[in-house]
Amino acid sequence: MKNLLFLATAAMLFLAACQPQKASFTISGTLEGATDKVVVISVYDKSGVNVKDTLNIVDGVLDYATELSEPVFVILGEAGGRKTLNFFADNADYTINGSLDAINEASITGGAVFETYKSISDASKVINAKNEELKKAYGEAGQAGDTAKQKAIIEEYDANNAEMEAVQLEVVKANPKSPVSAFVVSNIYGHRSIEEMKEGLALLDASLSESTYYQKLSEKITKLEAVAVGEMAPDFTMNDTEGNPVSLSSFKGKYMLLDFWASWCGPCRRENPNVVKLYDEFKDKGFDILGISLDQKKDAWLKAIEDDQLTWNHVSDLKGWQNEVAKMYAVSGIPHTILLDKEGRIIAKNLRGDDLHAKVAELLN
């Protein structure tokens, strides 16, 4: 009987040993100055950038392992610190050597997706260094009152960014099946027109359709198509400054401006005087505004409304960039405006200043 049990156990162990082992994402190496410091590893996944784990580092030695559900963009650094080591990772072995104080300069080796990302990162670092010098030169030219030089610097800065984008897209075209390519395409095309976003996705192989970054861009296209010019604006209800629910549909019969803004947004605050003039001129002619704030602090929101004399209706859920209406309307930057006709149909987007005034005047005069 004992022999039978021994043979059965041995057979089970043999079968287990024959099973393919799951690959894992491992980090080894050294990180000086990290002992007793809180070092976190974050990933940019389907729900955004999230802290995945805390690394336990003893005597500067890195020894970490986990399983990634897919290749992802990884951010490693001290909790609350400004310097980070950013790289693309998959379930493979990674080696990092450096110091926590200069973690952004640490050396790193890794898997195949890392090598693809590194080819982009290396080229980008060179161009970013040039741009940092240009920023400094731009400030110096401003102090000297040399507007001509500032204009030339802006042109050079834009040319550098165009060069960086071209380099990145060359890597994408050479690696259409790489998840790194999906990440790059999502970053480059994520704030562009629907047509351009579709062109970006067309650069990628269909095998990437389940990638976080492919899906993010695809989902954004779907959301933007639902709120494109010519579509009916989706109705919503959100609380005003006094906690009372306000629905978009309650303004039907008026030309409406949905104004996405926040108290902390400099460009929004600079645009507010133009919006005030617009409202004062047309509020008695069938025009209204609904301000939708991406604030998180109610006091700051209310103070900005008072300081800027924004006398129209305002709503917010105080969730910042997670504002439910902003997500519904696929808002990725503020200030962001959407102009609606009397039936609630979208007739224009992202008009400001004179352009916005001219459009409203055309409708109401």
Side-chain angles (χ1 to χ4, degrees):
M1 184 67 177
K2 288 182 180 180
N3 287 339
L4 288 173
L5 287 172
F6 172 79
L7 289 172
T9 302
M12 290 174 66
L13 291 171
F14 175 77
L15 289 171
C18 291
Q19 296 299 313
Q21 299 299 304
K22 280 188 176 181
S24 61
F25 165 53
T26 69
I27 301 176
S28 59
T30 58
L31 196 59
E32 296 175 6
T35 301
D36 299 326
K37 298 288 182 69
V38 179
V39 179
V40 296
I41 183 166
S42 302
V43 296
Y44 175 27
D45 58 17
K46 286 182 170 62
S47 56
V49 177
N50 298 290
V51 174
K52 182 176 180 64
D53 213 341
T54 300
L55 276 64
N56 182 28
I57 302 173
V58 179
D59 295 330
V61 176
L62 289 165
D63 183 14
Y64 177 77
T66 190
E67 185 181 346
L68 299 175
S69 59
E70 63 172 325
V72 288
F73 186 69
V74 172
I75 303 165
L76 185 68
E78 184 177 2
R82 299 185 64 181
K83 294 180 179 179
T84 58
L85 181 63
N86 306 329
F87 57 100
F88 216 89
D90 58 353
N91 287 318
D93 297 328
Y94 287 72
T95 302
I96 296 172
N97 289 295
S99 66
L100 185 59
D101 289 342
I103 191 170
N104 55 309
E105 299 175 5
S107 66
I108 178 171
T109 60
V113 296
F114 169 75
E115 291 302 322
T116 302
Y117 175 76
K118 187 174 184 297
S119 65
I120 292 174
S121 179
D122 288 349
S124 298
K125 282 179 181 177
V126 174
I127 297 173
N128 282 333
K130 293 179 183 178
N131 282 346
E132 286 302 314
E133 289 298 317
L134 288 176
K135 289 178 185 178
K136 182 180 178 182
Y138 184 88
E140 292 171 350
Q143 290 178 349
D146 192 343
T147 55
K149 186 173 182 180
Q150 283 186 309
K151 183 180 179 181
I153 289 171
I154 291 173
E155 291 175 354
E156 186 177 352
Y157 186 89
D158 290 342
N160 284 346
N161 287 335
E163 179 187 348
M164 183 157 57
E165 181 178 303
V167 169
Q168 293 175 349
L169 289 178
E170 283 302 314
V171 175
V172 169
K173 292 171 184 177
N175 301 274
K177 295 183 179 181
S178 171
V180 174
S181 295
F183 174 74
V184 171
V185 164
S186 181
N187 284 343
I188 290 177
Y189 292 92
H191 299 290
R192 297 189 177 178
S193 67
I194 295 173
E195 291 71 22
E196 288 174 304
M197 290 182 189
K198 289 180 178 179
E199 289 173 6
L201 283 185
L203 297 174
L204 304 174
D205 188 83
S207 62
L208 292 172
S209 61
E210 297 302 314
S211 161
T212 282
Y213 314 108
Y214 187 107
Q215 289 187 353
K216 276 183 175 292
L217 194 56
S218 180
E219 288 167 4
K220 188 165 187 178
I221 291 171
T222 301
K223 284 185 177 181
L224 283 172
E225 287 179 332
V227 292
V229 172
E231 298 295 327
M232 293 299 294
D235 194 18
F236 59 84
T237 300
M238 188 165 280
N239 287 349
D240 65 12
T241 57
E242 297 180 353
N244 300 313
V246 175
S247 297
L248 175 61
S249 55
S250 66
F251 295 93
K252 200 168 184 180
K254 293 182 177 182
Y255 285 98
M256 285 294 300
L257 181 72
L258 303 184
D259 184 22
F260 293 86
W261 73 294
S263 66
W264 45 261
C265 169
C268 302
R269 303 295 295 274
R270 290 192 290 272
E271 177 67 11
N272 277 344
N274 295 325
V275 184
V276 169
K277 290 178 183 177
L278 182 75
Y279 182 69
D280 289 343
E281 184 176 348
F282 294 105
K283 65 181 179 181
D284 297 325
K285 297 181 179 181
F287 174 73
D288 210 340
I289 300 175
L290 182 58
I292 302 154
S293 169
L294 274 64
D295 274 288
Q296 290 182 294
K297 298 177 180 179
K298 187 172 184 179
D299 289 346
W301 174 39
L302 297 181
K303 187 176 186 302
I305 292 172
E306 182 179 359
D307 289 349
D308 293 1
Q309 301 179 45
L310 313 180
T311 56
W312 48 86
N313 290 283
H314 294 270
V315 296
S316 181
D317 56 13
L318 299 175
K319 293 182 180 179
W321 281 109
Q322 298 305 309
N323 180 284
E324 295 299 330
V325 180
K327 290 196 291 185
M328 179 188 295
Y329 281 82
V331 174
S332 58
I334 53 176
H336 182 90
T337 60
I338 301 176
L339 187 61
L340 313 180
D341 68 12
K342 293 181 179 181
E343 299 302 315
R345 190 177 301 278
I346 299 170
I347 53 178
K349 299 177 76 172
N350 268 332
L351 295 179
R352 299 176 199 164
D354 293 340
D355 291 336
L356 178 58
H357 181 275
K359 184 63 178 179
V360 175
E362 174 193 324
L363 296 168
L364 294 174
N365 285 338

